[in-house]
Amino acid sequence: MGIRQEYIEKHPGSKRLYERAVKLFPSGVTHDRRYLNPFPIYVTNALGAKKWDVDGREYIDYWMGHGALILGHRHQHVVQAIHRQIDKGTHYGACHEMEVEWAEKIVELVPSAEKVRFTASGTEATMMAIRLARSYTGKKKIVRFAGHFHGWHDAVCVGIQPPFDAPNSSGIPEESLQNTIVLPPNDLQELETQLKKREDVAAVILEPSGGFGGVIPITAEYLKGLREITLKSGVLLILDEVVTGFRYTPGGAQQYFDVSPDLSCFAKILAGGLPGGAVAGKKAIMEYLEFKEDPHWNRYRKIPHPGTFNANPLSAAAGVATLDVIAKGEVIPMADENAGHLRNALNEVIKSHEIKWCVHGEHSILHILMNHRCPKQRTCDRKACTYDYTLAYQKDPVLLGLFRTAMLIQGVDSIGDHFWISWLHSGEVLERTGEAFDQALKRLKEDLPDRFDFPD
Ligand code: PMP
């Protein structure tokens, strides 16, 4: 039986729910990444590193709340904090102590954070950071790098995937992209040349891991060079730490790489599995969100910032509890170690299958390059992957979809070629993942033999 047929037979409950969902949601899903042909699984509960679906099937979870759950599902400290808060109210339409504590934690942990403003998501955080940069500098252009992801507001919807000069969506007026400059990643010379040529750049924004959590990673030297060039050119540096924040170290990638941005964006781990984001940065820039005793400033210079769910008490409670645990220092090294073991184990499986796949990644993130044409093959250390970025982001949606399906049959749920690893993914969980990967590859080679056979 083929992978897809077996999947359909093993998931009758999910199939039934999808039949209802597809009448309601475009393509039946509420997030593009959850879309799966023939249908996704429907989950009923989760604990630690695992989750269960409506058909009673168990999965090792590598979505981990899209990267929000480095502590695993239902960490008791977080759950209790949320329960306590629910009993006291979920939205006061007022300031509250928990938001103060939440921001204090950020300022304590994140080296460059002087002031903080909460948003409801990472997308809102990057949108705010870009607006702050434009207000502060009075300049329009934003430099971003090919293959980096900053959410889905207009200004950052170009440069995400090949072809990098085309927006990744319809419905974006050309005019909205006129102020976005897409440059190749990891190329300091090109950045310097561009910044020397122009006077109109407000900020450079990037993921300090490299795009999409480090598909093509970047180095400390690159980030240091980037900081020097931006300082020299009077251009602000925005680190999008939505992924790396509270993951690379308690103080994020900026602490790990010892690079001090002007503004940083956070979400995911920040809010402990509930919705939430934040911008943190220099007082002089964050000042553009402040009220002053100056009607002209308030009307024409200040950035208005409403948002019904900014710093909502539930997210604040989950966020404070999560950052509390992370600050103790145990979680991140354990998650990193687990990820290292898993990367090695999966690369061993790949070797035994003699296929041109490669597992790499840094800290607690794992990426799979499928059918890559990397000339280094398996001779590099994979850490400082220098694979051609124009190829790294080219996906084979059929292979990727069927890989996910095959892994689900084996009891592993991942975002296809991207795994988030928590401190709880250890021991038998990792062993089972390796076995599942091995089985899934066997099945894939049977179902899609042509996808594994290409000339050098
Ligand atoms: N920036 C980065 C680096 C991200 O990975 C994401 C989400 N995956 C975002 C921004 C957008 O965050 P959100 O999904 O909370 O809008």
Side-chain angles (χ1 to χ4, degrees):
M1 193 188 317
I3 293 168
R4 194 159 289 151
Q5 191 53 36
E6 184 176 343
Y7 178 84
I8 293 169
E9 288 185 13
K10 289 197 159 141
H11 298 86
S14 286
K15 182 168 183 285
R16 276 194 298 276
L17 272 172
Y18 188 68
E19 281 159 6
R20 282 164 61 192
V22 88
K23 292 184 196 144
L24 303 164
F25 309 123
S27 289
V29 292
T30 52
H31 187 300
D32 275 5
R33 290 277 197 137
R34 295 179 201 148
Y35 175 74
L36 184 67
N37 185 4
F39 52 82
I41 56 165
Y42 283 76
V43 171
T44 54
N45 62 316
L47 179 66
K50 295 181 184 160
K51 61 190 185 191
W52 293 266
D53 73 7
V54 289
D55 294 297
R57 297 175 64 82
E58 179 176 290
Y59 302 91
I60 298 168
D61 185 21
Y62 288 101
W63 283 74
M64 300 316 287
H66 294 239
L69 298 172
I70 194 169
L71 303 187
H73 292 282
R74 276 159 57 191
H75 187 285
Q76 274 313 292
H77 190 56
V78 182
V79 169
Q80 282 161 13
I82 295 171
H83 278 169
R84 275 196 304 275
Q85 188 55 49
I86 285 181
D87 287 341
K88 293 194 274 183
T90 57
H91 199 317
Y92 303 136
C95 304
H96 55 94
E97 186 170 350
M98 209 50 103
E99 72 186 9
V100 179
E101 249 189 75
W102 200 13
E104 280 170 351
K105 285 263 170 322
I106 296 172
V107 172
E108 188 187 305
L109 294 175
V110 178
S112 70
E114 293 174 3
K115 285 227 164 172
V116 178
R117 190 44 92 81
F118 289 108
T119 62
S121 69
T123 294
E124 284 184 34
T126 62
M127 194 167 78
M128 173 184 274
I130 288 173
R131 189 164 303 169
L132 277 164
R134 286 175 168 155
S135 294
Y136 178 75
T137 59
K139 296 174 181 176
K140 284 191 217 171
K141 305 272 187 208
I142 298 295
V143 169
R144 53 149 303 147
F145 298 106
H148 287 226
F149 182 70
H150 304 296
W152 61 281
H153 55 93
D154 283 8
V156 291
C157 276
V158 64
I160 297 176
Q161 67 201 71
F164 292 112
D165 57 354
N168 74 337
S169 164
S170 63
I172 300 180
E174 264 168 56
E175 294 82 351
S176 308
L177 299 175
Q178 275 168 2
N179 293 311
T180 304
I181 302 167
V182 183
L183 294 185
N186 302 354
D187 186 343
L188 284 179
Q189 210 157 18
E190 178 62 18
L191 176 71
E192 194 161 25
T193 309
Q194 288 296 329
L195 293 187
K196 265 193 193 143
K197 268 204 294 207
R198 14 190 8 133
E199 289 286 306
D200 54 356
V201 178
V204 172
I205 184 168
L206 81 160
E207 287 186 68
S209 50
F212 279 90
V215 169
I216 296 294
I218 52 189
T219 59
E221 294 72 53
Y222 173 80
L223 282 170
K224 291 230 159 78
L226 178 61
R227 180 67 282 195
E228 271 170 35
I229 293 170
T230 47
L231 278 175
K232 223 165 41 188
S233 327
V235 169
L236 298 189
L237 176 60
I238 304 171
L239 289 190
D240 178 348
E241 294 237 41
V242 167
V243 162
T244 53
F246 317 106
R247 179 176 291 276
Y248 270 36
T249 68
Q254 58 192 270
Q255 186 177 46
Y256 181 72
F257 290 118
D258 190 21
V259 170
S260 185
D262 298 293
L263 294 170
S264 315
C265 306
F266 299 96
K268 298 197 191 279
I269 294 174
L270 168 80
L274 286 173
V279 174
K282 294 202 170 129
K283 275 187 194 149
I285 307 168
M286 299 298 283
E287 186 191 335
Y288 278 77
L289 290 158
E290 283 181 1
F291 292 99
K292 298 195 180 200
E293 302 281 310
D294 173 355
H296 186 269
W297 167 278
N298 291 339
R299 177 61 184 82
Y300 296 106
R301 305 282 306 279
K302 181 195 176 312
I303 300 173
H305 181 228
T308 303
F309 290 102
N310 298 344
N312 80 83
L314 269 193
S315 298
V320 169
T322 297
L323 300 191
D324 257 352
V325 178
I326 286 174
K328 291 199 174 92
E330 228 185 325
V331 172
I332 291 174
M334 280 174 77
D336 286 0
E337 194 182 319
N338 294 342
H341 288 316
L342 187 59
R343 286 191 288 265
N344 289 340
L346 299 194
N347 274 320
E348 284 304 311
V349 174
I350 286 171
K351 212 162 152 186
S352 72
H353 280 268
E354 299 183 326
I355 55 174
K356 287 182 178 169
W357 286 27
C358 172
V359 169
H360 72 106
E362 298 188 319
H363 297 272
S364 43
I365 302 171
L366 182 154
H367 301 287
I368 307 176
L369 278 177
M370 296 177 175
N371 292 333
H372 62 81
R373 288 167 169 76
C374 175
K376 288 191 180 157
Q377 289 297 330
R378 285 181 291 271
T379 57
C380 71
D381 66 1
R382 291 184 197 90
K383 276 202 94 187
C385 177
T386 52
Y387 187 45
D388 181 341
Y389 74 92
T390 56
L391 297 175
Y393 292 99
Q394 263 168 24
K395 312 254 176 188
D396 175 346
V398 173
L399 179 63
L400 202 54
L402 209 62
F403 172 68
R404 263 179 76 190
T405 317
M407 288 291 270
L408 283 166
I409 292 173
Q410 301 301 327
V412 173
D413 191 17
S414 76
I415 314 177
D417 54 358
H418 182 78
F419 290 44
W420 299 102
I421 292 117
S422 80
W423 70 329
L424 302 177
H425 286 83
S426 60
E428 62 91 33
V429 163
L430 297 184
E431 254 169 58
R432 269 174 55 195
T433 309
E435 286 158 15
F437 187 59
D438 183 36
Q439 287 304 315
L441 283 178
K442 275 194 192 122
R443 299 289 304 275
L444 270 181
K445 284 158 101 179
E446 283 162 17
D447 276 26
L448 291 176
D450 57 321
R451 292 306 212 271
F452 289 89
D453 184 21
F454 56 85
D456 277 332

